[in-house]
């Protein structure tokens, strides 16, 4: 299992040809208390860098971009009733969607965890 990160603070945890997408702990901290999430429809095809979901907090609404291209094969419907899971466990129960990757080589352009931590440190 591999986890990769974007500069927009999304992560994708890859297991086989499916990636689980969410926002990082840094991102949820910047947003503050999450009050609403809009998830994509299962079956939707998303392009790398394209808008895949929307998250709204007490501070702002933000788009969540797809870290890689693929088809949405599952969404975390539990977030609609409990969006605070994003604040409590962003890399666990706060995941947004699962993508069946159409081009796994796109992951090569994303950051490793060490690279992402260095990036966050550089912007903090």
């Amino acid at each position: 299992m591999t986890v990769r990160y974007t500069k927009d603070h999304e992560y994708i945890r890859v297991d086989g040809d499916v990636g689980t997408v969410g926002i990082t702990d840094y991102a949820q901290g910047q947003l503050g208390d999450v009050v609403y999430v809009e998830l994509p429809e299962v079956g939707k095809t998303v392009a790398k860098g394209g808008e895949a979901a929307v998250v709204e907090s007490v501070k702002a609404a933000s788009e969540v971009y797809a870290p890689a291209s693929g088809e949405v094969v599952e969404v975390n419907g539990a977030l609609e009733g409990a969006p605070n899971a994003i604040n409590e466990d962003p890399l666990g129960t706060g995941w947004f969607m699962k993508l069946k990757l159409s081009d796994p080589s796109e992951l090569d352009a994303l950051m490793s965890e060490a690279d992402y931590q260095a990036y966050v440190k550089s912007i903090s």
Side-chain angles (χ1 to χ4, degrees):
M1 191 174 301
T2 302
V3 183
R4 295 289 182 168
Y5 300 86
T6 71
K7 286 189 173 183
D8 292 320
H9 308 286
E10 290 95 7
Y11 70 84
I12 184 165
R13 186 176 44 245
V14 180
D15 187 10
D17 64 349
V18 175
T20 302
V21 176
I23 62 171
T24 65
D25 188 56
Y26 176 83
Q28 70 79 22
Q30 294 295 304
L31 284 169
D33 293 338
V34 175
V35 295
Y36 176 77
V37 62
E38 182 179 314
L39 299 170
E41 297 287 324
V42 171
K44 179 180 179 180
T45 300
V46 296
K48 179 181 179 177
E51 183 180 318
V54 175
V55 62
E56 193 173 313
S57 72
V58 293
K59 291 183 180 176
S62 300
E63 292 80 23
V64 176
Y65 301 105
S69 301
E71 178 185 347
V72 177
V73 293
E74 187 178 346
V75 296
N76 186 357
L79 292 180
E80 292 174 349
N84 59 326
I86 296 166
N87 294 114
E88 294 170 358
D89 190 14
L91 280 82
T93 59
W95 62 276
F96 284 64
M97 72 201 88
K98 294 187 179 187
L99 293 177
K100 183 171 184 179
L101 303 174
S102 60
D103 183 2
S105 70
E106 291 177 341
L107 301 172
D108 296 341
L110 302 176
M111 291 182 278
S112 68
E113 181 160 357
D115 291 342
Y116 178 72
Q117 293 304 325
Y119 172 68
V120 168
K121 191 173 181 178
S122 75
I123 60 172
S124 299

